Amino acid sequence: MKDDRINLQAPEFLLTDYLVSTLEKIFDPVPVPIILIDKKTEIKMINRVFANYLEFTKEEIIGRKVKEVDKNSRFPYVFKTKKAEIAWKHKFENGHTGIVHRIPVLDDQGEVIFGFGMVLFEDLEEFKDIINKNKLLESELHLYKRQLQKIQGAKYSWESIVGQSEKMVQAKYMSRRAAQTNSNVLLLGKSGTGKELFAHAIHNGSSRKHAPFVKVNCAAIPAELLESELFGYEEGAFTGAKKGGKVGKFQLANGGSIFLDEIGDMPLKMQAKLLRVLQEHEIEKVGSNNTIKVDVRVISATNQKLLELVKEGKFREDLYYRLNVMTIEIPSLKEREGDIGLLTEKLIKKVSKEIGKHVDKISPKAMDFLQTHDWPGNVRELENVLERAINLVEGDTIMPVHLPVYINKKEVAVYSYEGNMRTLKSIIEETEKETIVRTLEYTKGNKLQTAKLLNISRSSLYDKIERYCLE
């Protein structure tokens, strides 16, 4: 029996002028922007509506690399991952923002041979109009459920927690056991160790996983507003109160879990009210005399030593023992021997995907620097360092030169990432560039303040920013 399947690797299956001409005749009348590129990311076909959208003529586009036409294109990244990106929000170089598909076409061996792209909606307003015109009950319900899950649901699970060190394995074991109970959980650990990650996983691993997961940062809410935030208020309870009142976080978390982060910063007055909720399982809104029954499991966290706060009279002893039923200590990154390599690998994948830049390797020397650093900022600091490095990388490998000076110390100042001795000029330029970058980070991009701190003129700073491509 004759095999009529098309062999994508056969010599006759090429983007000949005739085939391209045929594709243009098919797609040019289509009012949807469409593009076809080859495995070298050269544009082979684009319909007229897409060329107009990009503010070029077709003749100016055909044959050019897609990055030359739109420097924000993610097609090179899609070709690296070999995974389609469906309905992505994309900002084109000319300022237009649309919803796009990017689809790699693979051969029988799984290698990329073409890339197909199209713009579903040419601007976000058009996208919003389509949604508004199609508000069917089922679609609305699905949308609201997703939004509610995003606002009130736990995002992370046990698989999100990376680590095989003895202390990390013990913390995960204790957390899994705690998840099977309805007891209150107290998470202890330094800032950046991942206490919130554990709180999410405990909720998702419990019988309450389909119920709300509500987060409250006790240190971020002013003391005078914390009560109304936690318990809600009645209409007219105070000047500025919303009409109809407000539902508090405990009521929103009914049936699920509430995560009280930075519990050590909660004012003493609020500690007494929280203790009553834990004892009586009921809340009282501000401005109301009625009580409301709630079924909420409390997961609290702090980077402070609560027992010392109890001795100093800054934290109630009775509340401490109410919260301290299942205590889990999250180890610092310095204590997690052997975990830095695993975390680095996962974080490189995560950050690379978020940025849209294909970086998947780290040199042994750069890894040595990461392994020997103390990491006072823990996992959060490691992620920030890797994000900075990925932004600086030109290839697909993180080298020592891409790490901050405080981590790679003097090695990177003397040697290039190829291992060759560097010139004095290159060392000075690298030091100058690093100093400007760190000062801009410190001033949050304020160039006037940066120039003053560096004791140079603003025009001189702009010249150096342009020279080192720091914009």
Side-chain angles (χ1 to χ4, degrees):
M1 184 175 177
K2 186 180 178 182
D3 189 350
D4 292 327
R5 290 177 300 175
I6 294 174
N7 181 1
L8 296 178
Q9 292 179 309
E12 63 270 15
F13 192 77
L14 299 172
L15 283 178
T16 62
D17 290 342
Y18 174 75
L19 182 55
V20 170
S21 175
T22 303
L23 290 173
E24 285 181 339
K25 287 176 182 177
I26 295 171
F27 290 118
D28 244 4
V30 177
V32 177
I34 293 171
I35 191 171
L36 184 69
I37 66 175
D38 65 14
K39 61 184 178 182
K40 296 178 182 178
T41 73
E42 287 184 4
I43 299 169
K44 293 300 180 184
M45 190 282 297
I46 186 169
N47 64 352
R48 198 164 302 281
V49 67
F50 202 169
N52 293 339
Y53 180 69
L54 294 174
E55 299 176 2
F56 288 101
T57 64
K58 288 177 62 175
E59 292 72 25
E60 290 174 321
I61 293 177
I62 299 297
R64 293 174 66 185
K65 296 272 190 181
V66 70
K67 276 276 191 181
E68 294 176 13
V69 176
D70 175 25
K71 68 178 181 182
N72 299 328
S73 174
R74 287 172 58 90
F75 260 115
Y77 179 74
V78 168
F79 279 15
K80 288 276 190 181
T81 62
K82 299 178 184 178
K83 293 181 180 178
E85 293 183 344
I86 305 298
W88 276 59
K89 177 183 174 183
H90 180 73
K91 186 171 184 178
F92 292 90
E93 189 174 353
N94 62 3
H96 293 317
T97 301
I99 306 297
V100 305
H101 286 343
R102 304 181 192 92
I103 303 169
V105 180
L106 310 180
D107 63 17
D108 294 339
Q109 280 69 48
E111 296 302 318
V112 174
I113 52 174
F114 302 121
F116 176 77
M118 64 183 296
V119 181
L120 297 178
F121 299 98
E122 296 180 28
D123 60 65
L124 293 184
E125 290 304 317
E126 179 188 359
F127 183 49
K128 290 174 185 175
D129 287 343
I130 294 293
I131 292 176
N132 290 332
K133 290 174 183 176
N134 293 276
K135 285 187 174 179
L136 299 174
L137 182 60
E138 185 177 350
S139 299
E140 284 188 338
L141 186 60
H142 181 65
L143 176 64
Y144 295 150
K145 281 182 177 179
R146 285 180 59 190
Q147 291 295 331
L148 190 62
Q149 179 68 21
K150 187 180 288 187
I151 295 169
Q152 298 188 347
K155 295 185 291 184
Y156 308 110
S157 61
W158 302 119
E159 289 71 31
S160 306
I161 302 173
V162 178
Q164 297 176 355
S165 60
E166 183 179 348
K167 289 190 175 182
M168 201 61 177
V169 169
Q170 185 179 359
K172 288 172 75 172
Y173 170 78
M174 287 294 295
S175 299
R176 287 179 183 272
R177 299 289 292 178
Q180 302 307 311
T181 73
N182 274 318
S183 300
N184 297 327
V185 179
L186 177 61
L187 301 171
L188 302 175
K190 295 179 180 178
S191 180
T193 51
K195 295 186 291 295
E196 183 172 341
L197 212 65
F198 273 85
H200 281 252
I202 290 169
H203 174 79
N204 268 337
S206 73
S207 59
R208 297 172 178 262
K209 63 183 178 182
H210 297 300
F213 176 78
V214 179
K215 299 170 289 183
V216 180
N217 188 320
C218 300
I221 303 172
E224 61 272 14
L225 299 178
L226 189 56
E227 182 178 1
S228 61
E229 191 70 22
L230 290 177
F231 308 133
Y233 57 77
E234 294 287 0
E235 182 177 338
F238 50 82
T239 303
K242 289 182 181 179
K243 187 176 181 180
K246 180 183 177 181
V247 177
K249 300 293 188 185
F250 267 90
Q251 200 171 347
L252 285 173
N254 192 32
S257 308
I258 189 167
F259 175 47
L260 300 178
D261 199 8
E262 307 293 354
I263 190 73
D265 292 297
M266 181 175 281
L268 281 169
K269 179 183 175 183
M270 274 306 305
Q271 291 178 30
K273 293 180 181 292
L274 175 60
L275 179 63
R276 183 176 180 277
V277 174
L278 297 179
Q279 289 174 335
E280 307 298 333
H281 303 288
E282 60 185 29
I283 61 168
E284 192 174 290
K285 288 186 175 184
V286 176
S288 173
N289 295 319
N290 300 320
T291 58
I292 302 171
K293 284 286 182 182
V294 289
D295 171 26
V296 178
R297 194 253 279 274
V298 175
I299 304 172
S300 51
T302 182
N303 57 14
Q304 302 186 59
K305 296 180 180 178
L306 287 187
L307 267 178
E308 291 185 8
L309 294 180
V310 169
K311 292 175 183 177
E312 295 170 5
K314 296 178 181 178
F315 201 85
R316 292 180 63 106
E317 185 176 16
D318 45 7
L319 177 58
Y320 170 74
Y321 287 112
R322 275 282 176 183
L323 296 172
N324 190 27
V325 178
M326 298 289 288
T327 304
I328 300 164
E329 294 197 21
I330 316 299
S332 65
L333 192 51
K334 187 178 180 180
E335 300 173 285
R336 296 171 57 180
E337 188 175 348
D339 281 352
I340 290 178
L342 291 171
L343 280 165
T344 299
E345 182 181 349
K346 179 170 182 179
L347 289 171
I348 286 175
K349 288 180 181 177
K350 172 178 177 277
V351 175
S352 177
K353 183 176 181 181
E354 289 173 353
I355 294 176
K357 192 172 180 181
H358 188 74
V359 177
D360 60 358
K361 300 183 188 72
I362 181 167
S363 74
K365 188 65 176 176
M367 179 57 77
D368 285 344
F369 282 122
L370 299 185
Q371 296 278 14
T372 55
H373 184 59
D374 284 342
W375 300 110
N378 294 292
V379 181
R380 188 179 294 123
E381 181 187 1
L382 174 60
E383 183 171 357
N384 289 344
V385 165
L386 291 174
E387 182 176 348
R388 175 190 185 278
I390 289 170
N391 275 311
L392 294 174
V393 170
E394 292 182 2
D396 61 358
T397 305
I398 296 174
M399 297 289 190
V401 72
H402 303 129
L403 300 177
V405 171
Y406 75 92
I407 289 180
N408 61 24
K409 302 180 176 66
K410 295 180 181 178
E411 292 273 346
V412 72
V414 179
Y415 296 97
S416 69
Y417 56 81
E418 292 92 358
N420 303 319
M421 288 290 294
R422 300 172 65 194
T423 64
L424 179 61
K425 180 183 177 183
S426 70
I427 292 171
I428 292 172
E429 287 178 344
E430 180 64 23
T431 304
E432 186 178 64
K433 178 181 175 181
E434 178 66 24
T435 302
I436 292 171
V437 168
R438 296 185 67 182
T439 308
L440 282 167
E441 288 174 351
Y442 176 76
T443 63
K444 297 180 180 178
N446 188 316
K447 295 182 178 64
L448 178 60
Q449 189 179 354
T450 297
K452 286 182 179 178
L453 288 172
L454 296 176
N455 196 25
I456 59 177
S457 68
R458 189 159 52 166
S459 61
S460 178
L461 175 64
Y462 278 108
D463 289 341
K464 294 178 189 296
I465 288 174
E466 184 176 355
R467 187 199 314 165
Y468 297 130
C469 302
L470 299 180
E471 276 294 355

